[in-house]
Amino acid sequence: MTRPPLLEIQDLRTYFYSRAKEAFIRSVDGVSLAIAPGETLGVVGESGSGKSVTALSILGLVGGNPGVITGAVHFAGGNGASGPRNLLADLERYVSLTKHDGRIVAVAKDEPGWRAHVERALARVRGKQIAMIFQNPKSSLNPFVTVGQQISEAVRLHTGVTHASEAKERALGWLERVRMDSPRLRFDQYPDGLSGGMCQRAMIAMALASEPSLLIADEPTTGLDATIQSRIVALLAELKSEFGVTTLLITHDIRVVSRLADTVAVMYGATVMEHGPARDVLAPGVEPKHPYTSALLASLPSTQTNGRRHAVDGRLPVIRGEVVDTMNVPRGCRFHARCDRITDAIRARCMGEEPALATVAAGHRMRCHLHPGEARGG
Amino acid sequence: MAARELALTALLLLGVSLVVFVILNLSPGDPFSVLLEGQAPGHAARASVHEALGVPTTWYGRYLAWLGNIARGNLGTSIRTGVPVAGEIARAGPNTLYLTLGSLLVTLLLAVPVALYSASRAAGALARGLRLAVYLVSAVPVFWLGYVVIYLFIHRFGVFPLLSGSAEPARHGWLYGLLPIVVLGVANGTVSEVTRHLRGELGRVLTEDYIRTARAKGAPVWRHAFKEGFLLPMTEMIASKIPFVIGGAIIVEQVFNWPGLGRMVWQAAQDRDFPVIMGIALVAAAFVRLASLLRAVIYAGVNPRTATD
Ligand SMILES: Nc1ncnc2c1ncn2[C@@H]1O[C@H](COP(=O)(O)OP(=O)(O)O)[C@@H](O)[C@H]1O
Ligand SMILES: [Mg+2]
């Protein structure tokens, strides 16, 4: 990567505490990623691998039980800002961690202080510099406010437009840009009156309306009908070439990533397994590949010639085995129990030692004992 | 839609009046025996009273006569005093309105801050303590609190003289006016449920996807949570708790000798003053109905989608 990244995540850890099981759910466990300006980074991985929590951690939107967020999120957005700023800075003031064997075993946290700090730290970032769209567009829009008003609100909050009529014109412009049919009619409708696809277009319009430097799209196509999905993907591709907004695209659907992403990160068991240019990571046959990535690619319906996958109740073929339990992360490689590439030579290491995220080619990193590369970072 | 609501309201009031009338007629005692007090009236004496007053002898005859008067906007006259019921209600009504609305305000002033605080700090010790306090307060019977307050303020500390509510108190009049409101507001038994409902709804709404969207876009969470998390549960609670508050008002008016409809209906019940009881029952039912109409209007106004169901 030559340009300095717009967003750089370093060793992000987000843990939830489960009172019932008296254990930490390590939803994000040492994720490091970077996005260059103008680039689309696709984060792909099975459901439960920690993609959403990673995204929510960036914007301080993680809900639920008190837990831990450590690491750094350096963000260089904002016009003429003085270098990147760590969005997670000073959070450690509100927590005291007890570690044992390098693992966090207890947390004492000033929850109100923490929350107030997050709100303050992200006040000028949320929406304005980093906008986010979600899965379930219908429930993600406020059902009590018209679609148009929700978009105008984003315009008025973040673009310096204060006149209601001008904000409305801009909002209508965005509705047109996301190819909403009859925008003037939709403007005054409530989300309830719109289809899922239209709601997602409205969400995208709302996110872009504040002209952010980074767009986070968490499963933007999941839960929509197949035809609607491909239309939303086409829209995102179109917007990408038109506006070139830097995007963190999160999806479990590898086809969406392969259509839109420049760089791909493959997540498994709360951490990044492979990270590199899309053509290297996703192109079939290009080596080296992480065994998990190979398995993901092999599970696609279009590569049905491969004998390793099998269909589960008639739906998409899946990778054999259980997704790793982030409460009891196994020793060694997180994927070893499901890995079919383990050789006798490395078996002991796969089961006993977690591989580092090592550089295997320019800009291409991998966490696998098969491809030790030159170790760097973790 | 409005026509349908009006028809429903008329039907409801008709039903309430019929039920109350039947209960009154089934219960022992005759309103007109009041006029024969001190005598041992025989059947003939009663019949002559009925005849002298032009009152039908069957209960449904009397009900139809009452209905006919209502249709002409006439609530009848008090059997005991001979004064028109409508005038009596108009005189005492504002006192009760003040008591019910005022105590509802007190209830909300107690419940809302606790609900808001504990919705945002669910795990805090203070929030838990407050919720427990509210729960305990709700268990206090309203008459008991009323007597305690009267004992403390009048007999113990002599803040103001013992008086009948009709006369204007000389000192601390405002305080005397506030006491029943506070007593009814605290002890009408709804504080804890109002708190729980508000807190529950707000807590639920704050975890909705669209609130996360609001946070992500940097919009004030309150602006987005207000309607579903505050306005609707508040409306719901006010509309559904008004009957309880009215019930409590009858007791509080007794305890404080408050010149409102509650004391009036209590007195009328002892006198079997049917027209007064019927008139007040009708007004109370209309008031409750008004509250639920208001709720329907607010629900419809908040979101056109709900207007259809
Ligand atoms: N608020 C929460 N409390 C406890 N566990 C959570 C919470 N949010 C997510 N998790 C857990 O964290 C893991 C990762 O979740 P997520 O990031 O949503 O996965 P995905 O990759 O499908 O987006 C899952 O096992 C999930 O159950
Ligand atoms: Mg997810």
Side-chain angles (χ1 to χ4, degrees):
Chain A
M1 223 164 286
T2 47
R3 285 167 297 173
L6 176 68
L7 183 86
E8 186 170 15
I9 303 173
Q10 283 172 349
D11 198 28
L12 178 70
R13 285 165 203 272
T14 305
Y15 295 1
F16 296 97
Y17 185 72
S18 161
R19 225 177 270 280
K21 293 180 183 157
E22 296 191 336
F24 282 103
I25 302 163
R26 295 190 259 161
S27 296
V28 177
D29 199 18
V31 163
S32 299
L33 290 171
I35 311 176
E39 177 187 84
T40 294
L41 168 66
V43 176
V44 69
E46 280 167 292
S47 158
S49 53
K51 308 180 297 292
S52 295
V53 176
T54 301
L56 294 172
S57 301
I58 297 170
L59 279 179
L61 294 174
V62 178
N65 301 327
V68 206
I69 301 184
T70 63
V73 176
H74 297 290
F75 180 62
N79 10 357
S82 50
R85 165 176 161 229
N86 181 6
L87 302 182
L88 301 185
D90 300 329
L91 272 182
E92 65 276 4
R93 262 194 260 154
Y94 304 92
V95 250
S96 76
L97 303 177
T98 313
K99 292 195 185 180
H100 184 71
D101 279 347
R103 281 189 168 182
I104 297 164
V105 291
V107 184
K109 190 171 171 194
D110 166 16
E111 189 72 30
W114 165 292
R115 279 202 235 166
H117 178 87
V118 168
E119 297 303 309
R120 251 180 289 123
L122 293 167
R124 266 176 282 279
V125 176
R126 286 181 186 162
K128 188 176 184 66
Q129 293 173 13
I130 305 181
M132 188 159 177
I133 61 177
F134 300 93
Q135 187 179 344
N136 301 330
K138 233 172 167 149
S139 64
S140 294
L141 287 167
N142 189 335
F144 300 95
V145 182
T146 62
V147 166
Q149 276 172 334
Q150 296 189 55
I151 301 170
S152 320
E153 185 189 24
V155 172
R156 266 183 291 158
L157 280 170
H158 302 301
T159 62
V161 174
T162 46
H163 268 290
S165 56
E166 195 186 340
K168 178 175 177 168
E169 283 313 309
R170 292 243 195 144
L172 280 169
W174 283 107
L175 279 177
E176 277 161 25
R177 257 162 267 170
V178 299
R179 313 277 175 261
M180 183 77 96
D181 68 294
S182 35
R184 281 187 186 272
L185 179 70
R186 304 298 176 209
F187 190 91
D188 291 318
Q189 281 187 322
Y190 289 85
D192 224 56
L194 304 186
S195 68
M198 283 197 264
C199 281
Q200 194 59 292
R201 284 174 199 269
M203 281 293 290
I204 295 169
M206 189 168 87
L208 295 179
S210 58
E211 296 162 26
S213 9
L214 176 68
L215 174 69
I216 302 178
D218 186 4
E219 307 273 7
T221 60
T222 309
L224 302 174
D225 294 344
T227 49
I228 308 296
Q229 277 191 24
S230 57
R231 279 191 216 146
I232 294 290
V233 171
L235 172 68
L236 289 171
E238 204 178 317
L239 292 172
K240 182 184 168 186
S241 61
E242 193 174 342
F243 300 104
V245 56
T246 315
T247 305
L248 174 60
L249 172 74
I250 292 171
T251 177
H252 69 278
D253 189 338
I254 208 159
R255 289 163 304 181
V256 173
V257 163
S258 58
R259 275 216 43 200
L260 295 171
D262 307 303
T263 311
V264 173
V266 180
M267 278 187 71
Y268 180 80
T271 194
V272 174
M273 286 301 199
E274 185 174 3
H275 180 204
R279 57 182 182 282
D280 296 349
V281 177
L282 297 181
V286 178
E287 288 292 326
K289 263 199 172 39
H290 193 284
Y292 177 61
T293 311
S294 308
L296 269 185
L297 288 169
S299 74
L300 282 179
S302 53
T303 53
Q304 290 268 337
T305 45
N306 197 314
R308 262 186 291 113
R309 4 113 254 104
H310 44 175
V312 169
D313 30 65
R315 288 184 298 147
L316 269 183
V318 292
I319 305 166
R320 213 169 347 137
E322 294 274 315
V323 174
V324 74
D325 169 12
T326 55
M327 211 174 298
N328 306 296
V329 176
R331 292 182 66 81
C333 175
R334 284 158 205 254
F335 189 58
H336 81 250
R338 296 165 81 191
C339 188
D340 58 5
R341 300 270 179 89
I342 299 182
T343 59
D344 289 337
I346 59 168
R347 185 175 308 273
R349 294 181 66 208
C350 288
M351 293 174 68
E353 181 194 331
E354 172 149 38
L357 198 57
T359 302
V360 294
H364 192 176
R365 298 179 302 159
M366 203 172 282
R367 201 185 281 281
C368 183
H369 287 306
L370 273 178
H371 310 286
E374 34 170 304
R376 197 195 71 185
Chain B
M1 194 194 123
R4 196 173 130 250
E5 293 297 333
L6 272 181
L8 265 177
T9 305
L11 212 62
L12 180 95
L13 294 183
L14 195 70
V16 166
S17 69
L18 183 62
V19 167
V20 172
F21 200 91
V22 167
I23 291 173
L24 286 177
N25 276 279
L26 286 179
S27 52
D30 181 324
F32 304 102
S33 50
V34 168
L35 300 177
L36 300 167
E37 233 167 310
Q39 312 168 28
H43 193 77
R46 285 170 195 271
S48 69
V49 168
H50 281 179
E51 199 175 331
L53 294 171
V55 177
T57 40
T58 59
W59 72 265
Y60 51 85
R62 288 198 294 272
Y63 181 64
L64 288 178
W66 182 84
L67 266 190
N69 280 334
I70 292 295
R72 274 176 265 122
N74 179 5
L75 286 175
T77 55
S78 163
I79 295 172
R80 186 188 160 89
T81 62
V83 180
V85 171
E88 289 291 280
I89 288 178
R91 193 176 51 75
N95 289 334
T96 298
L97 197 65
Y98 168 77
L99 188 59
T100 37
L101 295 186
S103 65
L104 206 55
L105 191 69
V106 169
T107 301
L108 295 179
L109 284 177
L110 279 176
V112 171
V114 177
L116 295 189
Y117 182 79
S118 62
S120 65
R121 304 272 162 90
L126 180 59
R128 240 175 300 162
L130 280 173
R131 288 205 301 275
L132 184 67
V134 157
Y135 185 74
L136 290 178
V137 157
S138 287
V140 172
V142 66
F143 68 86
W144 182 83
L145 185 65
Y147 284 128
V148 166
V149 163
I150 283 183
Y151 171 75
L152 288 179
F153 280 77
I154 297 178
H155 299 291
R156 188 67 189 259
F157 302 124
V159 178
F160 30 71
L162 187 58
L163 35 78
S164 79
S166 48
E168 194 59 26
R171 294 187 296 142
H172 306 298
W174 61 272
L175 188 59
Y176 192 79
L178 275 186
L179 278 185
I181 285 183
V182 173
V183 167
L184 182 55
V186 167
N188 58 24
T190 67
V191 181
S192 113
E193 204 192 319
V194 172
T195 307
R196 198 168 48 227
H197 186 72
L198 285 180
R199 165 173 174 262
E201 283 298 280
L202 184 59
R204 177 183 66 73
V205 170
L206 287 179
T207 64
E208 291 282 343
D209 284 352
Y210 73 86
I211 296 301
R212 186 182 58 190
T213 307
R215 282 189 213 278
K217 95 193 229 201
V221 166
W222 271 109
R223 193 191 289 169
H224 286 268
F226 177 75
K227 281 184 180 173
E228 194 184 2
F230 189 74
L231 184 60
L232 293 188
M234 281 284 271
T235 311
E236 171 67 31
M237 280 296 102
I238 290 174
S240 65
K241 292 308 167 200
I242 273 187
F244 294 88
V245 177
I246 291 177
I250 296 179
I251 296 167
V252 167
E253 289 186 4
Q254 290 310 303
V255 173
F256 284 89
N257 204 11
W258 187 260
L261 294 178
R263 201 182 63 170
M264 201 163 124
V265 78
W266 186 268
Q267 185 60 46
Q270 265 146 35
D271 296 341
R272 308 277 151 202
D273 199 342
F274 285 14
V276 172
I277 298 175
M278 292 295 293
I280 291 176
L282 206 61
V283 167
F287 189 56
V288 171
R289 179 67 187 148
L290 192 69
S292 60
L293 282 178
L294 194 69
R295 165 175 54 186
V297 167
I298 289 179
Y299 270 56
V302 160
N303 188 355
R305 168 182 59 161
T306 49
T308 47
D309 54 42

